[in-house]
Amino acid sequence: MTQFVFTFLNGITLAGLYFLVASGLTLIFGLMRVINLAHGAFYLLAGYISWTVVDKTNNWFYGAVVGALSLGIFGTLVYVLLLRKFQYEELRVALITLGVSLVLAQAMLAIFGGEYYQTNIPTPLSFTIPVPGLGLSYPFFRIFVLLLAIAVAIGLWIFITKTRYGAIIRAGVDDTTMVSALGINVQAVFIWIFFLGSLLVGFAGAVGGTTNSFGMGSDGDYLLFSLQVVIIGGLGSIGGVAIGSLLVGVIGQYAVGYFPTFAGIITFTMLILVLAFRPQGILGKKS
Amino acid sequence: MRSQIKYAIVIALAIAFPYITPDPDFWVSSGGTRALWLGVAALSMSFLNRNLGLMSLGQLFFSGVSGYIVAISSVMHGVKFGTSVPLAILAGTLSGVVIGWIALKTKGVYFFMLTLAVTLGLYSFANQAQEITRGHTGINSIPSPIIFGMDFAYVKPLYYLFLGISVLLFALCKFVERTSFGIALKGVRDNEDRMVSMGYRIMPLKMIAFVFSAFIASIAGVMGVFYVTNISPDSVGLLRSIDLLVIVVVGGATYLGGAFVGAVLIAVFEAIIQDFTVYYVGATGILFIVVLMLAPQGLMGINAQIRAKRAKSEGASK
């Protein structure tokens, strides 16, 4: 029973992290049809940056802000310098981002080496809360990550569906020419989307680097998680990312806890089952 | 006729290569044999991209399945290669049916992502399932095959074996493309709806092409095991997937020969640059980005690209 409850708590808090990681990927794709396969490398880079800042300043929040902002700027640079020209060639853009991830992975290996890192939990949040009925306690910071993910989800949803900027973004994607004719600078809109998407993965790297250790190879792991989440949930849909994160997080944790050898295969079978019935993912639109 | 002369020259050069290269101990193995192995793996990708317009990163999955089966059965269970190699290639090929059934429902960048996820899935399985795959350590010191008393642990026999396999598979791909099946495939690539209205059943066509490419990839998996003499999760990892992609794109993703041109170029590039920096993978990545931005048709396509550009500028000046 204890293991069952704790596995569930681990799964659902991990789902929160997955949501933070994958929401940037799906946001950029959903609005711009650009798939960023350097997403895992972005996550890892943010982890290293915020770890370094926390190490120097001893302030977790500085680390999270610097990690998110620097990735936002870095992602925007990658978009403007390498991707913008080919934005409408989906596969070419995907390949270029894969090249970026290769270069980034090597650069990070050169700077930070092969060891594993983990940022310290900020002292005010470093306590445990009791789990009702079991007489055991659970680290609060993991619950905090889940709350953050829910806040980001609600924020994104309001931003895209309820605000004027969200309306411009949606319109810019549907009909670029018409929106330009209305006097709106669509190029600038795309830059802001890329900034926001990269900012999100940067923030996820800072948070995930605190709950989980990271290092060489984590870029591939988190790219895999993000792909699983968005493929299952449906690429381009924020709600789909939420559902995908929950499925991959919770079922993945039960698989790791109860059948460690076949954990990978179980998550994978789930992915195949979803695609067999809905090739576009659970909430994805048919292209 | 001209292309047959070209092929004859390339094959003659490849046969003479171990005798004309400087420092044959190094270059035959690290240049030649390695390029042939990677070339066959890349060929399975090129075939699919050229004939169906699908860029697949799942080829490493099939290579991984066949490679692991050979390694596990021969090292851990003492099965003879005569049994394990055909079985491994069969299993790798059949796994193409399962993956194809899912992946072929998607197209373009979705297909690309899905096949990437498939390969990364095998990577995490190989890491986790320690009882089966020995986890991160992998399976080491896999013996070399001995066929008719010829020991393929030596550099030259292995090179010529790989050369033979490469030529055969390349010719097979060329042959398949000329059959009515191959022509129907190109029809599917160019206009699926029209093929449907002409009465073709699309899915079986795509499936046969996909499984055929899985067959080539499975052979490449066995070649990899015999060349590297070990297999570990990294053999099917993200970096290796990108490696193959780099080869295909740099060589020219819409040309069958591009697989081998790219493989030779990358093998030589990495063998040379290793002397200058330990971070040669990053250098390969930069080369990859530059090629994608400037010459997306790869080396094989540079002529066509320049010709198209010239025609365009002439058209503009008129």
Side-chain angles (χ1 to χ4, degrees), chain A residues 274-286:
Chain A
V274 168
L275 286 175
F277 296 103
R278 279 188 74 84
Q280 73 275 33
I282 293 176
L283 287 189
K285 283 189 212 124
K286 255 211 154 90

Side-chain angles (χ1 to χ4, degrees), chain A residues 114 116 216-218 221, chain B residues 68 122-140 230-239:
Chain A
Y116 276 75
M216 190 178 81
S218 299
D221 294 340
Chain B
Y68 261 113
L122 179 64
Y123 169 80
S124 69
F125 172 72
N127 250 330
Q128 286 169 342
Q130 298 202 353
E131 304 99 275
I132 303 172
T133 62
R134 294 192 183 158
H136 193 72
T137 335
I139 297 160
N140 296 305
N230 67 48
I231 189 163
S232 70
D234 288 331
S235 313
V236 293
L238 181 62
L239 280 184

Side-chain angles (χ1 to χ4, degrees), chain A residues 23 30 33 47 49 60 65 67 72 91 104 106 127 135 139 141 157-158 164 175 196-197 202 245 256-257 274:
Chain A
S23 56
R33 317 300 293 175
I49 290 177
W60 188 85
V65 171
L91 191 60
L104 267 185
Q106 286 279 295
F127 57 90
F141 191 76
W157 180 73
I158 291 177
R164 187 183 134 73
D175 194 336
L196 184 62
S245 309
V256 170
V274 168

Side-chain angles (χ1 to χ4, degrees), chain A residues 23-282:
Chain A
S23 56
L25 185 73
T26 216
L27 183 75
I28 293 174
F29 182 84
L31 299 176
M32 297 167 66
R33 317 300 293 175
V34 165
I35 184 98
N36 177 14
L37 291 174
H39 205 70
F42 278 22
Y43 171 90
L44 183 55
L45 180 62
Y48 284 128
I49 290 177
S50 65
W51 180 88
T52 312
V53 172
V54 175
D55 191 47
K56 294 273 183 293
T57 63
N58 248 329
N59 187 324
W60 188 85
F61 297 95
Y62 289 166
V65 171
V66 174
L69 275 180
S70 47
L71 258 291
I73 294 166
F74 183 77
T76 309
L77 283 178
V78 168
Y79 170 67
V80 171
L81 296 178
L82 301 178
L83 309 180
R84 185 158 64 167
K85 212 171 141 195
F86 318 110
Q87 192 177 326
Y88 299 100
E89 298 171 60
E90 288 183 5
L91 191 60
R92 194 169 173 189
V93 167
L95 293 176
I96 294 176
T97 57
L98 214 44
V100 171
S101 82
L102 202 61
V103 177
L104 267 185
Q106 286 279 295
M108 290 187 283
L109 180 63
I111 299 169
F112 295 97
E115 302 103 78
Y116 276 75
Y117 294 72
Q118 188 161 5
T119 314
N120 290 325
I121 296 174
T123 341
L125 299 177
S126 176
F127 57 90
T128 57
I129 52 170
V131 181
L134 284 180
L136 292 163
S137 50
Y138 195 75
F140 172 74
F141 191 76
R142 283 177 159 267
I143 308 279
F144 175 67
V145 173
L146 180 61
L147 297 176
L148 274 179
I150 294 171
V152 167
I154 295 172
L156 273 180
W157 180 73
I158 291 177
F159 176 69
I160 290 174
T161 56
K162 303 287 174 199
T163 66
R164 187 183 134 73
Y165 299 104
I168 292 175
I169 289 174
R170 281 178 290 135
V173 173
D174 288 342
D175 194 336
T176 316
T177 328
M178 189 61 216
V179 174
S180 312
L182 292 172
I184 291 161
N185 185 349
V186 177
Q187 286 306 319
V189 173
F190 283 152
I191 288 177
W192 278 109
I193 297 173
F194 220 92
F195 176 76
L196 184 62
S198 311
L199 187 85
L200 278 172
V201 71
F203 183 61
V207 173
T210 314
T211 53
N212 298 67
S213 63
F214 59 93
M216 190 178 81
S218 299
D219 46 350
D221 294 340
Y222 281 88
L223 178 62
L224 173 62
F225 296 145
S226 317
L227 288 180
Q228 283 176 338
V229 164
V230 297
I231 290 174
I232 288 178
L235 199 48
S237 146
I238 300 287
V241 175
I243 293 177
S245 309
L246 276 175
L247 284 174
V248 175
V250 174
I251 295 181
Q253 281 302 297
Y254 278 115
V256 170
Y258 290 89
F259 315 97
T261 306
F262 296 102
I265 295 225
I266 291 171
T267 344
F268 198 64
T269 313
M270 178 171 71
L271 183 124
I272 286 186
L273 280 178
V274 168
L275 286 175
F277 296 103
R278 279 188 74 84
Q280 73 275 33
I282 293 176

